[in-house]
Amino acid sequence: MRLIQNGRVEKISIEHVWVRAHIPYTDYRGAGNAGGSKVWIDLDTGIKAYEEVENLYDTLEKEGFQKEIEETVKAGNAAGLETMLDQWEEQITSMDTETLYAVKRIIKHEELSYLPLSLQYEVQEEKETFAQTNDKDKDRICFEVEGKSLGTYTASELAGKNILLSFRPASDEDKEILEAYDSVFDIPAYSVYMKPVLLINGEVAAEAAGEGTTLGTSQTFTMKIRSGGRDTEVENTVTIGSMYAVTLDNQNIAGGELQDIYDETAALKDSVTKENVYSEEYLGRLLSLAGKLYFVQVDIADRIAAELYDVNSTRSLSEGITGYEVRPTSLYGMVTGITEGSLYIDVDTDAHSVVSLNGDKDAPREYMFSTGMISSLYESTVWEELTGYESVSTISILAKAQEENIDILLISKGNLDTEIEKLNTDETTKQAVINAANSGKVVTIPAEDVIIGDWHGTGYIVANPETGAGEYMICGGLNGGSVNGCTNNRSVMCMLCIGDSDGDADSGSHCICGSSVNISCILYSSRDSSCTFDGNGY
């Protein structure tokens, strides 16, 4: 609630939480000897004074970078986005940045002789007092496959952990049949039944009830997410025999969390073979690494963009799937087996609450559109970083279309009838575009499908013109990106640093074949306002 006088907001009323501490106050009061009778003291350390500091962004703004990124994003120049970000990194490393902060303002240092007896604001009403957060107020996520529960967990229970949806033999007899074959790709689909299994940090947390289903069958994987008092339900089609890592990002992925999974993955290189690489232990860890690597890079980009646009951005519990999707084979319409598939990422939820810090009403929308484009770019580059293979995302598709001088259509409800006639793509995608435009969204899509290596199709942005929030889709309904073409066991082994420099896994020598990711650079976190930039990266 706001009180406005003479066109200005003079007072606000909000729901807020503070801490009440029981301390010996007579002698202590937060300083000195802890003696005397105890009293309850209300403390709110969330309200702080800030001071501006010499920072990287002011320097970049003087050199025109902020204007350049705004123009690039507003123009939807996907082809120029990656080039511009590369140039920006070069600018940073060429600066004398040892004295520059990674944020525009820092918490003002203040020392108090005694704890204050009152809060910094007036409390109108106390609605509730509690010693711990109520279950109804906790962020949580429920996992289901075909309506069968695999458990409900709070965000804090899953924080920092690796979550994997895999499929295991439904019975001992099915296990014996599976073990009789060299690999899951050799077995006839109808001869073995598999069950969905949820693993947390490598341990089985739950398995679906029932008799199981044959290899290559499609099922619905549902996640019911509650965050900030709001409920979101997402559905993904999964294939029995595939493997899927679920990555959760609640504000940020800690640097130590990424380092741990990276170290665990690197430690596997001496024991992995072409026979065992397709397993929960090996491939499962790689998928978790890819998911965390994606969100860490997005977190960093979001914080940088928040400083550039002078906004405060609060992320809700976000979720993405990194998976290895097998390909069913069929005969006369019946699934007969599965073959090696491809790596992909599908970001189901990445929601933010954005508020301008300087009153610029356009800043939140511009921030959301900018970070959306950059996030889409990372959906392809995360696989390129880890595998060295060309990957596909909405932004890479739009960039390819621009390079080939294919018209980029902006389709809205107002021009739908004329612009949809210019769109040459499959009917399913066309209908999705029509539905989005009729709902008031603006769709950005190439007029023609593009070819990227072995991949053929299109990608498009569905944007809310008022908020800047958008969905970044590739044909087939995937809200993310994938490795171009089929990824075989040898390619996956390359991610584990096995083989020689050309990716040949037969030589037995060890390398970082195809991988360009710089973990030490990624681990930088701008949440620490004392961090500065050095010439070697972040």
Side-chain angles (χ1 to χ4, degrees), residues 311-353:
V311 300
N312 181 71
S313 176
T314 303
R315 177 200 292 278
S316 298
L317 180 61
S318 300
E319 171 273 322
I321 290 179
T322 41
Y324 185 83
E325 184 78 13
V326 299
R327 300 179 180 182
T329 58
S330 60
L331 183 65
Y332 302 120
M334 295 185 62
V335 176
T336 57
I338 58 174
T339 62
E340 293 170 327
S342 60
L343 298 159
Y344 80 94
I345 181 169
D346 191 359
V347 181
D348 294 309
T349 61
D350 187 14
H352 299 252
S353 175

Side-chain angles (χ1 to χ4, degrees), residues 151-190:
T152 300
Y153 307 86
T154 63
S156 58
E157 288 175 324
L158 298 176
K161 296 180 179 178
N162 302 322
I163 308 165
L164 188 70
L165 178 69
S166 185
F167 297 89
R168 290 185 175 181
S171 66
D172 292 338
E173 291 79 6
D174 291 308
K175 183 178 180 181
E176 290 177 4
I177 294 171
L178 186 60
E179 290 176 346
Y181 289 82
D182 290 335
S183 80
V184 71
F185 300 110
D186 299 324
I187 190 169
Y190 55 82

Side-chain angles (χ1 to χ4, degrees), residues 40-238:
W40 287 101
I41 300 294
D42 289 340
L43 300 171
D44 191 344
T45 59
I47 296 181
K48 304 176 179 69
Y50 287 82
E51 60 181 340
E52 294 184 355
V53 291
E54 188 175 358
N55 61 82
L56 173 72
Y57 308 101
D58 289 342
T59 304
L60 289 174
E61 188 173 359
K62 291 177 183 177
E63 298 184 11
F65 171 75
Q66 185 165 352
K67 183 178 180 181
E68 183 180 358
I69 191 171
E70 288 176 355
E71 291 177 348
T72 301
V73 170
K74 285 180 180 178
N77 184 6
L81 182 62
E82 188 170 8
T83 300
M84 184 199 65
L85 293 177
D86 289 340
Q87 292 173 345
W88 175 63
E89 288 185 12
E90 291 177 6
Q91 278 185 297
I92 291 176
T93 55
S94 66
M95 293 179 185
D96 180 14
T97 56
E98 291 189 6
T99 60
L100 295 180
Y101 280 86
V103 292
K104 290 183 176 181
R105 57 182 192 152
I106 62 173
I107 298 171
K108 187 176 182 180
H109 183 71
E110 186 177 4
E111 292 185 1
L112 299 176
S113 299
Y114 298 101
L115 293 176
L117 280 172
S118 61
L119 293 168
Q120 303 95 315
Y121 44 80
E122 178 185 347
V123 177
Q124 292 181 327
E125 178 187 5
E126 288 188 25
K127 291 188 175 181
E128 188 177 5
T129 301
F130 48 88
Q132 60 182 14
T133 305
N134 296 320
D135 287 341
K136 65 180 178 63
D137 297 323
K138 294 178 181 178
D139 284 6
R140 59 182 179 269
I141 181 168
C142 173
F143 301 99
E144 295 179 357
V145 175
E146 290 294 291
K148 298 174 182 177
S149 175
L150 293 177
T152 300
Y153 307 86
T154 63
S156 58
E157 288 175 324
L158 298 176
K161 296 180 179 178
N162 302 322
I163 308 165
L164 188 70
L165 178 69
S166 185
F167 297 89
R168 290 185 175 181
S171 66
D172 292 338
E173 291 79 6
D174 291 308
K175 183 178 180 181
E176 290 177 4
I177 294 171
L178 186 60
E179 290 176 346
Y181 289 82
D182 290 335
S183 80
V184 71
F185 300 110
D186 299 324
I187 190 169
Y190 55 82
S191 63
V192 64
Y193 283 77
M194 309 284 281
K195 279 186 175 181
V197 178
L198 185 72
L199 297 100
I200 299 177
N201 276 358
E203 300 293 330
V204 176
E207 65 177 47
E211 298 180 352
T213 313
T214 55
L215 283 169
T217 304
S218 295
Q219 293 189 324
T220 301
F221 178 37
T222 303
M223 285 174 280
K224 299 176 180 178
I225 302 171
R226 182 168 181 80
S227 181
R230 297 182 179 181
D231 294 309
T232 303
E233 183 172 314
V234 296
E235 291 185 352
N236 289 274
T237 300
V238 295

